[in-house]
Amino acid sequence: YFPLSKPPFSKESKTVFKYKTSSAKVLSKNSASSFNYKLPGFGIIHFQLDTNSKNGFTLFQFHDHFPKIKTTEEMIHPIRFICTKEEFEKIRNTTDSKQAIDDFWLKKGNTSDISRELIKKYYSRVEKANIYFSSHKEGWKTDRGMVSIIFGPPKLVRKTSNSIVWSYGDENNMNSITFTFERINNPFSNNDYQLTRNYNFKNPWYRAVDAWRNGKAYWIQ
């Protein structure tokens, strides 16, 4: 289990990858030089050619509809970015989770039409994050996923061998902001980038979150 990202202004913390496994199995090749293996319903499956080396390849088994968001449970967790802890726990622990998530979005949009459009835009960003940013965890849980969901697609993207820089807004726009993501040495994926966090991101973050909470899909033009 890997948690979702913390806000951009929070204290920097690096993911620690442990090689503790819930189960291990030795696979033998058959006469056709292949093997059969039934994937579990959820989790990370790491294949090693040599037990003395961590090198190998990894398969990721997320929820059934991944990268799409289709069930109530799949809708609940990504709203953690735009709701309080109390709101989230109340929705997650209610006996009627579908009604709870419907009420959450209806309160944000005030009308059913605005709420439907808000839901469409929010979960479209969640699904795109799953497609482009997934690594050892679902894309929406990652730093790039978090930023893309809340702030939308960047206006400008710059890449180096070990980093990605996203720029939002024009140079003279008071809401302009730049996020830098550094590549992480991840034994399970080469698609893992960590945001360089900064306390100065606090105001832009809450401005964007407040926009969502007031029924507007946020995006810096």
Side-chain angles (χ1 to χ4, degrees), residues 147-177:
V147 172
S148 67
I149 290 169
I150 299 303
F151 291 92
K155 182 174 183 178
L156 178 66
V157 177
R158 299 191 303 275
K159 295 182 179 181
T160 69
S161 58
N162 292 308
S163 68
I164 297 176
V165 179
W166 288 1
S167 297
Y168 289 83
D170 297 322
E171 185 176 352
N172 297 322
N173 186 338
M174 63 177 294
N175 292 330
S176 294
I177 188 170

Side-chain angles (χ1 to χ4, degrees), residues 34-102:
S34 63
F35 61 84
N36 296 320
Y37 179 72
K38 184 177 180 180
L39 297 176
F42 179 83
I44 294 178
I45 307 94
H46 186 64
F47 293 87
Q48 295 173 249
L49 299 179
D50 186 343
T51 56
N52 294 318
S53 172
K54 293 183 177 66
N55 293 332
F57 65 94
T58 308
L59 299 179
F60 305 96
Q61 185 79 346
F62 299 124
H63 59 76
D64 291 342
H65 307 109
F66 187 86
K68 294 185 177 298
I69 303 297
K70 290 190 174 183
T71 69
T72 299
E73 183 69 17
E74 291 158 10
M75 291 181 68
I76 289 176
H77 290 281
I79 67 169
R80 184 64 187 89
F81 293 132
I82 60 171
C83 66
T84 65
K85 182 178 180 181
E86 290 73 20
E87 283 177 320
F88 183 72
E89 292 300 327
K90 183 177 180 180
I91 293 172
R92 194 174 66 166
N93 296 321
T94 185
T95 55
D96 191 344
S97 56
K98 185 181 186 309
Q99 186 63 53
I101 193 68
D102 287 345

